mmCIF file with all atom_site columns, all heavy atoms in Angstrom:
data_model
loop_
_atom_site.group_PDB
_atom_site.id
_atom_site.type_symbol
_atom_site.label_atom_id
_atom_site.label_alt_id
_atom_site.label_comp_id
_atom_site.label_asym_id
_atom_site.label_entity_id
_atom_site.label_seq_id
_atom_site.pdbx_PDB_ins_code
_atom_site.Cartn_x
_atom_site.Cartn_y
_atom_site.Cartn_z
_atom_site.occupancy
_atom_site.B_iso_or_equiv
_atom_site.pdbx_formal_charge
_atom_site.auth_seq_id
_atom_site.auth_comp_id
_atom_site.auth_asym_id
_atom_site.auth_atom_id
_atom_site.pdbx_PDB_model_num
ATOM 1   N N   . SER A 1 267 ? -0.460  -33.175 -0.665  1.00 96.00 ? 267 SER A N   1
ATOM 2   C CA  . SER A 1 267 ? 0.485   -34.192 -0.201  1.00 96.00 ? 267 SER A CA  1
ATOM 3   C C   . SER A 1 267 ? 0.783   -33.912 1.271   1.00 96.00 ? 267 SER A C   1
ATOM 4   O O   . SER A 1 267 ? 0.343   -32.908 1.832   1.00 96.00 ? 267 SER A O   1
ATOM 5   C CB  . SER A 1 267 ? 1.768   -34.168 -1.034  1.00 96.00 ? 267 SER A CB  1
ATOM 6   O OG  . SER A 1 267 ? 2.397   -32.901 -0.959  1.00 96.00 ? 267 SER A OG  1
ATOM 7   N N   . SER A 1 268 ? 1.513   -34.783 1.910   1.00 95.00 ? 268 SER A N   1
ATOM 8   C CA  . SER A 1 268 ? 1.746   -34.646 3.356   1.00 95.00 ? 268 SER A CA  1
ATOM 9   C C   . SER A 1 268 ? 3.184   -34.297 3.712   1.00 95.00 ? 268 SER A C   1
ATOM 10  O O   . SER A 1 268 ? 3.549   -34.334 4.885   1.00 95.00 ? 268 SER A O   1
ATOM 11  C CB  . SER A 1 268 ? 1.359   -35.960 4.059   1.00 95.00 ? 268 SER A CB  1
ATOM 12  O OG  . SER A 1 268 ? 2.085   -37.048 3.518   1.00 95.00 ? 268 SER A OG  1
ATOM 13  N N   . ASN A 1 269 ? 4.011   -33.955 2.722   1.00 96.00 ? 269 ASN A N   1
ATOM 14  C CA  . ASN A 1 269 ? 5.419   -33.652 2.985   1.00 96.00 ? 269 ASN A CA  1
ATOM 15  C C   . ASN A 1 269 ? 5.616   -32.174 3.317   1.00 96.00 ? 269 ASN A C   1
ATOM 16  O O   . ASN A 1 269 ? 6.284   -31.426 2.599   1.00 96.00 ? 269 ASN A O   1
ATOM 17  C CB  . ASN A 1 269 ? 6.290   -34.067 1.800   1.00 96.00 ? 269 ASN A CB  1
ATOM 18  C CG  . ASN A 1 269 ? 5.820   -33.497 0.479   1.00 96.00 ? 269 ASN A CG  1
ATOM 19  O OD1 . ASN A 1 269 ? 4.659   -33.119 0.325   1.00 96.00 ? 269 ASN A OD1 1
ATOM 20  N ND2 . ASN A 1 269 ? 6.722   -33.430 -0.496  1.00 96.00 ? 269 ASN A ND2 1
ATOM 21  N N   . TYR A 1 270 ? 5.024   -31.747 4.429   1.00 96.00 ? 270 TYR A N   1
ATOM 22  C CA  . TYR A 1 270 ? 5.176   -30.385 4.913   1.00 96.00 ? 270 TYR A CA  1
ATOM 23  C C   . TYR A 1 270 ? 5.019   -30.392 6.430   1.00 96.00 ? 270 TYR A C   1
ATOM 24  O O   . TYR A 1 270 ? 4.510   -31.356 7.018   1.00 96.00 ? 270 TYR A O   1
ATOM 25  C CB  . TYR A 1 270 ? 4.154   -29.445 4.262   1.00 96.00 ? 270 TYR A CB  1
ATOM 26  C CG  . TYR A 1 270 ? 2.715   -29.756 4.623   1.00 96.00 ? 270 TYR A CG  1
ATOM 27  C CD1 . TYR A 1 270 ? 2.093   -29.130 5.689   1.00 96.00 ? 270 TYR A CD1 1
ATOM 28  C CD2 . TYR A 1 270 ? 1.973   -30.689 3.894   1.00 96.00 ? 270 TYR A CD2 1
ATOM 29  C CE1 . TYR A 1 270 ? 0.773   -29.419 6.028   1.00 96.00 ? 270 TYR A CE1 1
ATOM 30  C CE2 . TYR A 1 270 ? 0.659   -30.983 4.218   1.00 96.00 ? 270 TYR A CE2 1
ATOM 31  C CZ  . TYR A 1 270 ? 0.068   -30.348 5.287   1.00 96.00 ? 270 TYR A CZ  1
ATOM 32  O OH  . TYR A 1 270 ? -1.223  -30.638 5.630   1.00 96.00 ? 270 TYR A OH  1
ATOM 33  N N   . ASN A 1 271 ? 5.441   -29.301 7.054   1.00 96.00 ? 271 ASN A N   1
ATOM 34  C CA  . ASN A 1 271 ? 5.393   -29.176 8.508   1.00 96.00 ? 271 ASN A CA  1
ATOM 35  C C   . ASN A 1 271 ? 4.014   -28.680 8.929   1.00 96.00 ? 271 ASN A C   1
ATOM 36  O O   . ASN A 1 271 ? 3.629   -27.558 8.597   1.00 96.00 ? 271 ASN A O   1
ATOM 37  C CB  . ASN A 1 271 ? 6.481   -28.198 8.963   1.00 96.00 ? 271 ASN A CB  1
ATOM 38  C CG  . ASN A 1 271 ? 6.646   -28.165 10.469  1.00 96.00 ? 271 ASN A CG  1
ATOM 39  O OD1 . ASN A 1 271 ? 5.687   -28.381 11.219  1.00 96.00 ? 271 ASN A OD1 1
ATOM 40  N ND2 . ASN A 1 271 ? 7.853   -27.894 10.929  1.00 96.00 ? 271 ASN A ND2 1
ATOM 41  N N   . THR A 1 272 ? 3.286   -29.509 9.666   1.00 96.00 ? 272 THR A N   1
ATOM 42  C CA  . THR A 1 272 ? 1.930   -29.127 10.070  1.00 96.00 ? 272 THR A CA  1
ATOM 43  C C   . THR A 1 272 ? 1.926   -28.004 11.099  1.00 96.00 ? 272 THR A C   1
ATOM 44  O O   . THR A 1 272 ? 0.909   -27.334 11.279  1.00 96.00 ? 272 THR A O   1
ATOM 45  C CB  . THR A 1 272 ? 1.171   -30.341 10.631  1.00 96.00 ? 272 THR A CB  1
ATOM 46  O OG1 . THR A 1 272 ? 1.926   -30.920 11.698  1.00 96.00 ? 272 THR A OG1 1
ATOM 47  C CG2 . THR A 1 272 ? 0.952   -31.383 9.542   1.00 96.00 ? 272 THR A CG2 1
ATOM 48  N N   . ALA A 1 273 ? 3.047   -27.786 11.761  1.00 97.00 ? 273 ALA A N   1
ATOM 49  C CA  . ALA A 1 273 ? 3.129   -26.647 12.682  1.00 97.00 ? 273 ALA A CA  1
ATOM 50  C C   . ALA A 1 273 ? 3.212   -25.338 11.900  1.00 97.00 ? 273 ALA A C   1
ATOM 51  O O   . ALA A 1 273 ? 2.671   -24.304 12.317  1.00 97.00 ? 273 ALA A O   1
ATOM 52  C CB  . ALA A 1 273 ? 4.340   -26.799 13.603  1.00 97.00 ? 273 ALA A CB  1
ATOM 53  N N   . THR A 1 274 ? 3.894   -25.378 10.750  1.00 97.00 ? 274 THR A N   1
ATOM 54  C CA  . THR A 1 274 ? 4.003   -24.182 9.902   1.00 97.00 ? 274 THR A CA  1
ATOM 55  C C   . THR A 1 274 ? 2.730   -23.960 9.113   1.00 97.00 ? 274 THR A C   1
ATOM 56  O O   . THR A 1 274 ? 2.291   -22.816 8.942   1.00 97.00 ? 274 THR A O   1
ATOM 57  C CB  . THR A 1 274 ? 5.185   -24.339 8.926   1.00 97.00 ? 274 THR A CB  1
ATOM 58  O OG1 . THR A 1 274 ? 6.381   -24.573 9.679   1.00 97.00 ? 274 THR A OG1 1
ATOM 59  C CG2 . THR A 1 274 ? 5.351   -23.089 8.072   1.00 97.00 ? 274 THR A CG2 1
ATOM 60  N N   . PHE A 1 275 ? 2.119   -25.053 8.644   1.00 98.00 ? 275 PHE A N   1
ATOM 61  C CA  . PHE A 1 275 ? 0.888   -24.991 7.860   1.00 98.00 ? 275 PHE A CA  1
ATOM 62  C C   . PHE A 1 275 ? -0.206  -25.770 8.609   1.00 98.00 ? 275 PHE A C   1
ATOM 63  O O   . PHE A 1 275 ? -0.420  -26.957 8.340   1.00 98.00 ? 275 PHE A O   1
ATOM 64  C CB  . PHE A 1 275 ? 1.105   -25.566 6.463   1.00 98.00 ? 275 PHE A CB  1
ATOM 65  C CG  . PHE A 1 275 ? 2.141   -24.836 5.660   1.00 98.00 ? 275 PHE A CG  1
ATOM 66  C CD1 . PHE A 1 275 ? 3.454   -25.291 5.619   1.00 98.00 ? 275 PHE A CD1 1
ATOM 67  C CD2 . PHE A 1 275 ? 1.820   -23.681 4.957   1.00 98.00 ? 275 PHE A CD2 1
ATOM 68  C CE1 . PHE A 1 275 ? 4.417   -24.615 4.888   1.00 98.00 ? 275 PHE A CE1 1
ATOM 69  C CE2 . PHE A 1 275 ? 2.780   -23.001 4.221   1.00 98.00 ? 275 PHE A CE2 1
ATOM 70  C CZ  . PHE A 1 275 ? 4.081   -23.464 4.187   1.00 98.00 ? 275 PHE A CZ  1
ATOM 71  N N   . PRO A 1 276 ? -0.896  -25.131 9.561   1.00 98.00 ? 276 PRO A N   1
ATOM 72  C CA  . PRO A 1 276 ? -1.881  -25.840 10.378  1.00 98.00 ? 276 PRO A CA  1
ATOM 73  C C   . PRO A 1 276 ? -3.125  -26.275 9.619   1.00 98.00 ? 276 PRO A C   1
ATOM 74  O O   . PRO A 1 276 ? -3.875  -27.118 10.096  1.00 98.00 ? 276 PRO A O   1
ATOM 75  C CB  . PRO A 1 276 ? -2.230  -24.820 11.463  1.00 98.00 ? 276 PRO A CB  1
ATOM 76  C CG  . PRO A 1 276 ? -1.908  -23.499 10.863  1.00 98.00 ? 276 PRO A CG  1
ATOM 77  C CD  . PRO A 1 276 ? -0.726  -23.737 9.973   1.00 98.00 ? 276 PRO A CD  1
ATOM 78  N N   . ALA A 1 277 ? -3.374  -25.708 8.445   1.00 98.00 ? 277 ALA A N   1
ATOM 79  C CA  . ALA A 1 277 ? -4.514  -26.108 7.616   1.00 98.00 ? 277 ALA A CA  1
ATOM 80  C C   . ALA A 1 277 ? -4.040  -26.288 6.184   1.00 98.00 ? 277 ALA A C   1
ATOM 81  O O   . ALA A 1 277 ? -3.099  -25.637 5.736   1.00 98.00 ? 277 ALA A O   1
ATOM 82  C CB  . ALA A 1 277 ? -5.631  -25.073 7.680   1.00 98.00 ? 277 ALA A CB  1
ATOM 83  N N   . ARG A 1 278 ? -4.697  -27.191 5.465   1.00 98.00 ? 278 ARG A N   1
ATOM 84  C CA  . ARG A 1 278 ? -4.310  -27.472 4.084   1.00 98.00 ? 278 ARG A CA  1
ATOM 85  C C   . ARG A 1 278 ? -4.889  -26.486 3.082   1.00 98.00 ? 278 ARG A C   1
ATOM 86  O O   . ARG A 1 278 ? -4.299  -26.219 2.041   1.00 98.00 ? 278 ARG A O   1
ATOM 87  C CB  . ARG A 1 278 ? -4.791  -28.880 3.682   1.00 98.00 ? 278 ARG A CB  1
ATOM 88  C CG  . ARG A 1 278 ? -4.075  -30.029 4.352   1.00 98.00 ? 278 ARG A CG  1
ATOM 89  C CD  . ARG A 1 278 ? -4.704  -31.353 3.948   1.00 98.00 ? 278 ARG A CD  1
ATOM 90  N NE  . ARG A 1 278 ? -3.998  -32.502 4.492   1.00 98.00 ? 278 ARG A NE  1
ATOM 91  C CZ  . ARG A 1 278 ? -3.026  -33.146 3.860   1.00 98.00 ? 278 ARG A CZ  1
ATOM 92  N NH1 . ARG A 1 278 ? -2.667  -32.748 2.646   1.00 98.00 ? 278 ARG A NH1 1
ATOM 93  N NH2 . ARG A 1 278 ? -2.415  -34.170 4.410   1.00 98.00 ? 278 ARG A NH2 1
ATOM 94  N N   . GLU A 1 279 ? -6.077  -25.949 3.361   1.00 98.00 ? 279 GLU A N   1
ATOM 95  C CA  . GLU A 1 279 ? -6.834  -25.206 2.360   1.00 98.00 ? 279 GLU A CA  1
ATOM 96  C C   . GLU A 1 279 ? -6.866  -23.714 2.655   1.00 98.00 ? 279 GLU A C   1
ATOM 97  O O   . GLU A 1 279 ? -6.917  -23.293 3.815   1.00 98.00 ? 279 GLU A O   1
ATOM 98  C CB  . GLU A 1 279 ? -8.266  -25.740 2.294   1.00 98.00 ? 279 GLU A CB  1
ATOM 99  C CG  . GLU A 1 279 ? -8.336  -27.211 1.911   1.00 98.00 ? 279 GLU A CG  1
ATOM 100 C CD  . GLU A 1 279 ? -9.752  -27.741 1.938   1.00 98.00 ? 279 GLU A CD  1
ATOM 101 O OE1 . GLU A 1 279 ? -10.656 -27.020 2.414   1.00 98.00 ? 279 GLU A OE1 1
ATOM 102 O OE2 . GLU A 1 279 ? -9.968  -28.878 1.473   1.00 98.00 ? 279 GLU A OE2 1
ATOM 103 N N   . VAL A 1 280 ? -6.865  -22.924 1.581   1.00 98.00 ? 280 VAL A N   1
ATOM 104 C CA  . VAL A 1 280 ? -6.994  -21.475 1.689   1.00 98.00 ? 280 VAL A CA  1
ATOM 105 C C   . VAL A 1 280 ? -7.933  -20.987 0.594   1.00 98.00 ? 280 VAL A C   1
ATOM 106 O O   . VAL A 1 280 ? -7.958  -21.537 -0.520  1.00 98.00 ? 280 VAL A O   1
ATOM 107 C CB  . VAL A 1 280 ? -5.613  -20.782 1.580   1.00 98.00 ? 280 VAL A CB  1
ATOM 108 C CG1 . VAL A 1 280 ? -4.915  -21.137 0.274   1.00 98.00 ? 280 VAL A CG1 1
ATOM 109 C CG2 . VAL A 1 280 ? -5.745  -19.274 1.722   1.00 98.00 ? 280 VAL A CG2 1
ATOM 110 N N   . LEU A 1 281 ? -8.718  -19.983 0.923   1.00 98.00 ? 281 LEU A N   1
ATOM 111 C CA  . LEU A 1 281 ? -9.672  -19.396 -0.023  1.00 98.00 ? 281 LEU A CA  1
ATOM 112 C C   . LEU A 1 281 ? -9.489  -17.893 -0.018  1.00 98.00 ? 281 LEU A C   1
ATOM 113 O O   . LEU A 1 281 ? -9.415  -17.266 1.044   1.00 98.00 ? 281 LEU A O   1
ATOM 114 C CB  . LEU A 1 281 ? -11.100 -19.748 0.390   1.00 98.00 ? 281 LEU A CB  1
ATOM 115 C CG  . LEU A 1 281 ? -12.226 -19.332 -0.572  1.00 98.00 ? 281 LEU A CG  1
ATOM 116 C CD1 . LEU A 1 281 ? -12.233 -20.242 -1.799  1.00 98.00 ? 281 LEU A CD1 1
ATOM 117 C CD2 . LEU A 1 281 ? -13.573 -19.401 0.134   1.00 98.00 ? 281 LEU A CD2 1
ATOM 118 N N   . ILE A 1 282 ? -9.411  -17.300 -1.210  1.00 98.00 ? 282 ILE A N   1
ATOM 119 C CA  . ILE A 1 282 ? -9.301  -15.840 -1.334  1.00 98.00 ? 282 ILE A CA  1
ATOM 120 C C   . ILE A 1 282 ? -10.422 -15.341 -2.231  1.00 98.00 ? 282 ILE A C   1
ATOM 121 O O   . ILE A 1 282 ? -10.573 -15.805 -3.359  1.00 98.00 ? 282 ILE A O   1
ATOM 122 C CB  . ILE A 1 282 ? -7.943  -15.405 -1.915  1.00 98.00 ? 282 ILE A CB  1
ATOM 123 C CG1 . ILE A 1 282 ? -6.789  -15.899 -1.034  1.00 98.00 ? 282 ILE A CG1 1
ATOM 124 C CG2 . ILE A 1 282 ? -7.883  -13.888 -2.038  1.00 98.00 ? 282 ILE A CG2 1
ATOM 125 C CD1 . ILE A 1 282 ? -5.424  -15.462 -1.512  1.00 98.00 ? 282 ILE A CD1 1
ATOM 126 N N   . GLU A 1 283 ? -11.203 -14.400 -1.712  1.00 98.00 ? 283 GLU A N   1
ATOM 127 C CA  . GLU A 1 283 ? -12.282 -13.768 -2.476  1.00 98.00 ? 283 GLU A CA  1
ATOM 128 C C   . GLU A 1 283 ? -11.816 -12.378 -2.890  1.00 98.00 ? 283 GLU A C   1
ATOM 129 O O   . GLU A 1 283 ? -11.483 -11.542 -2.046  1.00 98.00 ? 283 GLU A O   1
ATOM 130 C CB  . GLU A 1 283 ? -13.545 -13.680 -1.613  1.00 98.00 ? 283 GLU A CB  1
ATOM 131 C CG  . GLU A 1 283 ? -14.060 -15.055 -1.184  1.00 98.00 ? 283 GLU A CG  1
ATOM 132 C CD  . GLU A 1 283 ? -14.980 -14.974 0.012   1.00 98.00 ? 283 GLU A CD  1
ATOM 133 O OE1 . GLU A 1 283 ? -15.011 -13.919 0.679   1.00 98.00 ? 283 GLU A OE1 1
ATOM 134 O OE2 . GLU A 1 283 ? -15.681 -15.976 0.287   1.00 98.00 ? 283 GLU A OE2 1
ATOM 135 N N   . TRP A 1 284 ? -11.782 -12.143 -4.197  1.00 98.00 ? 284 TRP A N   1
ATOM 136 C CA  . TRP A 1 284 ? -11.287 -10.888 -4.751  1.00 98.00 ? 284 TRP A CA  1
ATOM 137 C C   . TRP A 1 284 ? -12.454 -9.989  -5.165  1.00 98.00 ? 284 TRP A C   1
ATOM 138 O O   . TRP A 1 284 ? -13.474 -10.459 -5.659  1.00 98.00 ? 284 TRP A O   1
ATOM 139 C CB  . TRP A 1 284 ? -10.414 -11.149 -5.974  1.00 98.00 ? 284 TRP A CB  1
ATOM 140 C CG  . TRP A 1 284 ? -9.106  -11.803 -5.659  1.00 98.00 ? 284 TRP A CG  1
ATOM 141 C CD1 . TRP A 1 284 ? -8.848  -13.143 -5.582  1.00 98.00 ? 284 TRP A CD1 1
ATOM 142 C CD2 . TRP A 1 284 ? -7.878  -11.141 -5.381  1.00 98.00 ? 284 TRP A CD2 1
ATOM 143 N NE1 . TRP A 1 284 ? -7.529  -13.358 -5.274  1.00 98.00 ? 284 TRP A NE1 1
ATOM 144 C CE2 . TRP A 1 284 ? -6.900  -12.152 -5.145  1.00 98.00 ? 284 TRP A CE2 1
ATOM 145 C CE3 . TRP A 1 284 ? -7.494  -9.808  -5.315  1.00 98.00 ? 284 TRP A CE3 1
ATOM 146 C CZ2 . TRP A 1 284 ? -5.582  -11.855 -4.849  1.00 98.00 ? 284 TRP A CZ2 1
ATOM 147 C CZ3 . TRP A 1 284 ? -6.171  -9.507  -5.025  1.00 98.00 ? 284 TRP A CZ3 1
ATOM 148 C CH2 . TRP A 1 284 ? -5.229  -10.522 -4.792  1.00 98.00 ? 284 TRP A CH2 1
ATOM 149 N N   . SER A 1 285 ? -12.263 -8.679  -5.005  1.00 98.00 ? 285 SER A N   1
ATOM 150 C CA  . SER A 1 285 ? -13.272 -7.701  -5.416  1.00 98.00 ? 285 SER A CA  1
ATOM 151 C C   . SER A 1 285 ? -12.574 -6.389  -5.750  1.00 98.00 ? 285 SER A C   1
ATOM 152 O O   . SER A 1 285 ? -11.383 -6.218  -5.476  1.00 98.00 ? 285 SER A O   1
ATOM 153 C CB  . SER A 1 285 ? -14.317 -7.489  -4.314  1.00 98.00 ? 285 SER A CB  1
ATOM 154 O OG  . SER A 1 285 ? -13.702 -6.998  -3.137  1.00 98.00 ? 285 SER A OG  1
ATOM 155 N N   . VAL A 1 286 ? -13.323 -5.475  -6.345  1.00 96.00 ? 286 VAL A N   1
ATOM 156 C CA  . VAL A 1 286 ? -12.809 -4.142  -6.695  1.00 96.00 ? 286 VAL A CA  1
ATOM 157 C C   . VAL A 1 286 ? -13.713 -3.118  -6.040  1.00 96.00 ? 286 VAL A C   1
ATOM 158 O O   . VAL A 1 286 ? -14.940 -3.174  -6.186  1.00 96.00 ? 286 VAL A O   1
ATOM 159 C CB  . VAL A 1 286 ? -12.778 -3.949  -8.229  1.00 96.00 ? 286 VAL A CB  1
ATOM 160 C CG1 . VAL A 1 286 ? -12.301 -2.546  -8.583  1.00 96.00 ? 286 VAL A CG1 1
ATOM 161 C CG2 . VAL A 1 286 ? -11.883 -4.997  -8.883  1.00 96.00 ? 286 VAL A CG2 1
ATOM 162 N N   . ASP A 1 287 ? -13.117 -2.171  -5.293  1.00 94.00 ? 287 ASP A N   1
ATOM 163 C CA  . ASP A 1 287 ? -13.942 -1.187  -4.595  1.00 94.00 ? 287 ASP A CA  1
ATOM 164 C C   . ASP A 1 287 ? -14.296 -0.016  -5.506  1.00 94.00 ? 287 ASP A C   1
ATOM 165 O O   . ASP A 1 287 ? -13.968 -0.007  -6.700  1.00 94.00 ? 287 ASP A O   1
ATOM 166 C CB  . ASP A 1 287 ? -13.259 -0.713  -3.307  1.00 94.00 ? 287 ASP A CB  1
ATOM 167 C CG  . ASP A 1 287 ? -12.005 0.133   -3.559  1.00 94.00 ? 287 ASP A CG  1
ATOM 168 O OD1 . ASP A 1 287 ? -11.765 0.550   -4.723  1.00 94.00 ? 287 ASP A OD1 1
ATOM 169 O OD2 . ASP A 1 287 ? -11.270 0.401   -2.596  1.00 94.00 ? 287 ASP A OD2 1
ATOM 170 N N   . GLY A 1 288 ? -14.969 0.975   -4.952  1.00 92.00 ? 288 GLY A N   1
ATOM 171 C CA  . GLY A 1 288 ? -15.430 2.112   -5.758  1.00 92.00 ? 288 GLY A CA  1
ATOM 172 C C   . GLY A 1 288 ? -14.331 2.946   -6.357  1.00 92.00 ? 288 GLY A C   1
ATOM 173 O O   . GLY A 1 288 ? -14.555 3.687   -7.313  1.00 92.00 ? 288 GLY A O   1
ATOM 174 N N   . ASP A 1 289 ? -13.111 2.839   -5.804  1.00 94.00 ? 289 ASP A N   1
ATOM 175 C CA  . ASP A 1 289 ? -11.958 3.559   -6.342  1.00 94.00 ? 289 ASP A CA  1
ATOM 176 C C   . ASP A 1 289 ? -11.115 2.675   -7.257  1.00 94.00 ? 289 ASP A C   1
ATOM 177 O O   . ASP A 1 289 ? -9.969  2.998   -7.561  1.00 94.00 ? 289 ASP A O   1
ATOM 178 C CB  . ASP A 1 289 ? -11.088 4.086   -5.194  1.00 94.00 ? 289 ASP A CB  1
ATOM 179 C CG  . ASP A 1 289 ? -11.806 5.139   -4.373  1.00 94.00 ? 289 ASP A CG  1
ATOM 180 O OD1 . ASP A 1 289 ? -12.531 5.959   -4.967  1.00 94.00 ? 289 ASP A OD1 1
ATOM 181 O OD2 . ASP A 1 289 ? -11.659 5.125   -3.136  1.00 94.00 ? 289 ASP A OD2 1
ATOM 182 N N   . ASN A 1 290 ? -11.695 1.542   -7.679  1.00 91.00 ? 290 ASN A N   1
ATOM 183 C CA  . ASN A 1 290 ? -11.040 0.597   -8.581  1.00 91.00 ? 290 ASN A CA  1
ATOM 184 C C   . ASN A 1 290 ? -9.798  -0.038  -7.956  1.00 91.00 ? 290 ASN A C   1
ATOM 185 O O   . ASN A 1 290 ? -8.866  -0.424  -8.658  1.00 91.00 ? 290 ASN A O   1
ATOM 186 C CB  . ASN A 1 290 ? -10.663 1.270   -9.910  1.00 91.00 ? 290 ASN A CB  1
ATOM 187 C CG  . ASN A 1 290 ? -10.548 0.260   -11.041 1.00 91.00 ? 290 ASN A CG  1
ATOM 188 O OD1 . ASN A 1 290 ? -11.259 -0.742  -11.072 1.00 91.00 ? 290 ASN A OD1 1
ATOM 189 N ND2 . ASN A 1 290 ? -9.633  0.510   -11.965 1.00 91.00 ? 290 ASN A ND2 1
ATOM 190 N N   . ARG A 1 291 ? -9.795  -0.141  -6.632  1.00 94.00 ? 291 ARG A N   1
ATOM 191 C CA  . ARG A 1 291 ? -8.705  -0.810  -5.936  1.00 94.00 ? 291 ARG A CA  1
ATOM 192 C C   . ARG A 1 291 ? -9.079  -2.265  -5.680  1.00 94.00 ? 291 ARG A C   1
ATOM 193 O O   . ARG A 1 291 ? -10.196 -2.553  -5.257  1.00 94.00 ? 291 ARG A O   1
ATOM 194 C CB  . ARG A 1 291 ? -8.405  -0.120  -4.599  1.00 94.00 ? 291 ARG A CB  1
ATOM 195 C CG  . ARG A 1 291 ? -7.818  1.275   -4.756  1.00 94.00 ? 291 ARG A CG  1
ATOM 196 C CD  . ARG A 1 291 ? -7.643  1.918   -3.408  1.00 94.00 ? 291 ARG A CD  1
ATOM 197 N NE  . ARG A 1 291 ? -8.916  2.014   -2.687  1.00 94.00 ? 291 ARG A NE  1
ATOM 198 C CZ  . ARG A 1 291 ? -9.080  2.706   -1.563  1.00 94.00 ? 291 ARG A CZ  1
ATOM 199 N NH1 . ARG A 1 291 ? -8.061  3.350   -1.026  1.00 94.00 ? 291 ARG A NH1 1
ATOM 200 N NH2 . ARG A 1 291 ? -10.266 2.747   -0.976  1.00 94.00 ? 291 ARG A NH2 1
ATOM 201 N N   . ARG A 1 292 ? -8.140  -3.158  -5.921  1.00 95.00 ? 292 ARG A N   1
ATOM 202 C CA  . ARG A 1 292 ? -8.401  -4.567  -5.669  1.00 95.00 ? 292 ARG A CA  1
ATOM 203 C C   . ARG A 1 292 ? -8.378  -4.853  -4.170  1.00 95.00 ? 292 ARG A C   1
ATOM 204 O O   . ARG A 1 292 ? -7.507  -4.383  -3.444  1.00 95.00 ? 292 ARG A O   1
ATOM 205 C CB  . ARG A 1 292 ? -7.364  -5.440  -6.371  1.00 95.00 ? 292 ARG A CB  1
ATOM 206 C CG  . ARG A 1 292 ? -7.482  -5.440  -7.886  1.00 95.00 ? 292 ARG A CG  1
ATOM 207 C CD  . ARG A 1 292 ? -6.607  -6.515  -8.503  1.00 95.00 ? 292 ARG A CD  1
ATOM 208 N NE  . ARG A 1 292 ? -5.219  -6.363  -8.119  1.00 95.00 ? 292 ARG A NE  1
ATOM 209 C CZ  . ARG A 1 292 ? -4.383  -7.377  -7.919  1.00 95.00 ? 292 ARG A CZ  1
ATOM 210 N NH1 . ARG A 1 292 ? -4.812  -8.612  -8.047  1.00 95.00 ? 292 ARG A NH1 1
ATOM 211 N NH2 . ARG A 1 292 ? -3.133  -7.162  -7.596  1.00 95.00 ? 292 ARG A NH2 1
ATOM 212 N N   . MET A 1 293 ? -9.343  -5.643  -3.740  1.00 96.00 ? 293 MET A N   1
ATOM 213 C CA  . MET A 1 293 ? -9.444  -6.038  -2.349  1.00 96.00 ? 293 MET A CA  1
ATOM 214 C C   . MET A 1 293 ? -9.472  -7.566  -2.292  1.00 96.00 ? 293 MET A C   1
ATOM 215 O O   . MET A 1 293 ? -9.940  -8.223  -3.222  1.00 96.00 ? 293 MET A O   1
ATOM 216 C CB  . MET A 1 293 ? -10.726 -5.489  -1.713  1.00 96.00 ? 293 MET A CB  1
ATOM 217 C CG  . MET A 1 293 ? -10.940 -4.002  -1.882  1.00 96.00 ? 293 MET A CG  1
ATOM 218 S SD  . MET A 1 293 ? -9.808  -3.030  -0.869  1.00 96.00 ? 293 MET A SD  1
ATOM 219 C CE  . MET A 1 293 ? -10.443 -3.392  0.779   1.00 96.00 ? 293 MET A CE  1
#
Side-chain angles (χ1 to χ4, degrees):
S267 59
S268 57
N269 53 338
Y270 65 93
N271 189 329
T272 55
T274 303
F275 299 96
R278 290 176 176 268
E279 300 176 351
V280 57
L281 186 74
I282 301 182
E283 299 160 346
W284 291 89
S285 61
V286 178
D287 69 12
D289 294 322
N290 204 33
R291 292 176 301 190
R292 291 191 303 146
M293 308 288 291

